[in-house]
């Protein structure tokens, strides 16, 4: 009498990558041991969404929402911390109405705005008056710099203005040529310049991803943290995790790998291959948590 073999259609969970630092390995152990007290915080562009030439075309990796819905019920909270307006990140991420993401919040404009998935409510302070003043002067400043071909201006809901050089003939040269005049322009109107991957963002001071992350850790009572980012704007969040570590809160730093931002990779416990690598890491983590 023959035997009948059955084969599971469920994929075997992949092993989690091993952090390269002792602090990272300790943090991963803490996350695996106490997932219900873990905050998972993620940047959007370059981390959950691939970088594209036109920021308006950016969308979350197709597996991002399914992976987050698998992971979110197993941890204390999930937050997306982004320089974009919160409602833009929600729309481009496909987060609204996703079952299992009821505890997700999106902290937009570096934490100045907040969208909560449970209620769909968006809270935000009044726009800084310097943003409108900068926007009005920007054409003159760009003209004085020779109007580099391919440079694009992105409006950020009246709360910031970003100047992108990725599509310029020489992106790095355009970036460097515009850094000083845009810094001067921002300073005259009480703003700061946030440099990123071929982008210079003029925005109000006082909030950054580090401040937003620390406030959310306090709010959620998280006892361990995973933060993933890809750009210079994520360095304050990395510094916040390092501060938390010094205070006894384990933290895992993940770099969504890019050759454009070496400093972030050097400080990370794990470097993964862009948004696809972030999604894979979160999938493996959700699988390990059962």
């Amino acid at each position: 009498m023959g035997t009948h073999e059955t084969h599971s259609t469920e994929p075997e969970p992949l092993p989690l990558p091993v952090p390269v630092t002792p602090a990272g390995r300790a943090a991963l152990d803490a996350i695996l041991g106490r997932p219900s007290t873990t905050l998972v915080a993620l940047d959007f562009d370059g981390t959950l969404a691939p970088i594209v030439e036109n920021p308006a075309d950016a969308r979350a990796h197709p597996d991002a929402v399914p992976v987050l819905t698998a992971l979110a019920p197993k941890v204390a909270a999930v937050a997306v911390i982004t320089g974009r307006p919160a409602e833009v990140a929600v729309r481009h991420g496909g987060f609204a109405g996703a079952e299992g993401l009821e505890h997700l919040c999106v902290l937009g404009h570096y934490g100045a705005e907040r969208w909560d998935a449970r209620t769909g409510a968006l809270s935000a302070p009044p726009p800084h008056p310097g943003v409108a003043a900068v926007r009005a002067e920007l054409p003159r400043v760009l003209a004085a710099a020779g109007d580099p071909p391919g440079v694009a201006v992105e409006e950020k809901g009246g709360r910031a203005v970003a100047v992108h050089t990725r599509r310029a003939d020489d992106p790095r040269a355009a970036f460097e040529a515009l850094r000083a005049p845009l810094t001067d322009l921002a300073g005259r109107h009480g703003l700061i310049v946030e440099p990123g991957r071929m982008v210079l963002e003029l925005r109000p001071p006082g909030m950054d991803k580090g401040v937003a992350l620390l406030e959310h850790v306090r709010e959620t009572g998280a006892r361990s943290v995973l933060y993933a980012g890809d750009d210079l704007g994520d360095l304050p969040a990395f510094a916040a995790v390092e501060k938390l570590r010094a205070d006894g809160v384990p933290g895992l730093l993940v770099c969504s790998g890019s050759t454009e931002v070496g400093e972030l990779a050097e400080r990370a416990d794990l470097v993964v291959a862009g948004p696809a690598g972030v999604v894979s890491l979160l999938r493996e983590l959700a699988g390990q948590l059962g």
Side-chain angles (χ1 to χ4, degrees):
M1 185 172 177
T3 60
H4 177 69
E5 294 185 5
T6 60
H7 299 276
S8 171
T9 58
E10 290 294 320
E12 289 293 325
L14 296 172
L16 280 164
V18 178
V20 298
T21 65
R25 292 191 289 273
L28 182 57
D29 287 343
I31 291 166
L32 292 172
R34 300 191 306 271
S36 64
T37 62
T38 294
L39 168 63
V40 175
L42 310 157
D43 169 48
F44 187 73
D45 290 283
T47 301
L48 285 178
I51 294 292
V52 292
E53 286 194 356
N54 183 357
D57 295 334
R59 296 294 184 273
H61 186 283
D63 292 334
V65 167
V67 165
L68 289 175
T69 58
L71 177 63
K74 302 173 182 180
V75 297
V78 176
V80 174
I81 307 178
T82 175
R84 283 186 182 265
E87 61 90 15
V88 172
V90 170
R91 186 169 68 250
H92 289 191
F95 303 132
E99 187 175 350
L101 288 185
E102 291 81 8
H103 294 291
L104 171 75
C105 78
V106 176
L107 304 175
H109 285 301
Y110 303 89
E113 291 186 346
R114 175 174 177 145
W115 176 87
D116 286 287
R118 182 176 295 279
T119 63
L122 175 68
S123 59
H128 189 293
V131 175
V134 158
R135 184 66 187 93
E137 286 190 41
L138 191 56
R140 177 184 59 79
V141 172
L142 293 177
D147 270 332
V151 168
V153 175
E154 179 190 5
E155 302 277 0
K156 292 198 165 185
R159 299 183 183 278
V161 179
V163 179
H164 295 266
T165 67
R166 186 171 296 278
R167 289 186 286 177
D169 294 339
D170 187 335
R172 175 57 63 182
F175 180 93
E176 295 300 337
L178 291 172
R179 185 194 288 261
L182 292 182
T183 299
D184 178 67
L185 173 63
R188 286 191 280 108
H189 296 289
L191 305 182
I192 61 171
V193 169
E194 182 83 44
R197 293 168 64 179
M198 300 301 114
V199 61
L200 295 157
E201 182 171 331
L202 291 74
R203 66 177 183 85
M207 283 298 291
D208 60 37
K209 292 182 181 181
V211 173
L213 179 61
L214 290 174
E215 289 183 353
H216 207 56
V217 168
R218 285 192 289 269
E219 177 187 331
T220 59
R223 295 171 56 193
S224 56
V225 179
L226 181 155
Y227 183 83
D230 78 305
D231 207 346
L232 295 174
D234 296 301
L235 287 172
F238 270 41
V241 171
E242 291 161 354
K243 179 182 185 303
L244 288 167
R245 286 172 172 175
D247 294 338
V249 178
L252 179 63
L253 293 170
V254 179
C255 175
S256 178
S258 167
T259 57
E260 295 176 359
V261 191
E263 185 177 354
L264 209 69
E266 291 168 4
R267 289 173 64 173
D269 305 306
L270 277 175
V271 178
V272 298
V278 172
V279 166
S280 178
L281 172 65
L282 298 179
R283 181 186 295 112
E284 292 156 17
L285 181 60
Q288 291 287 326
L289 298 179

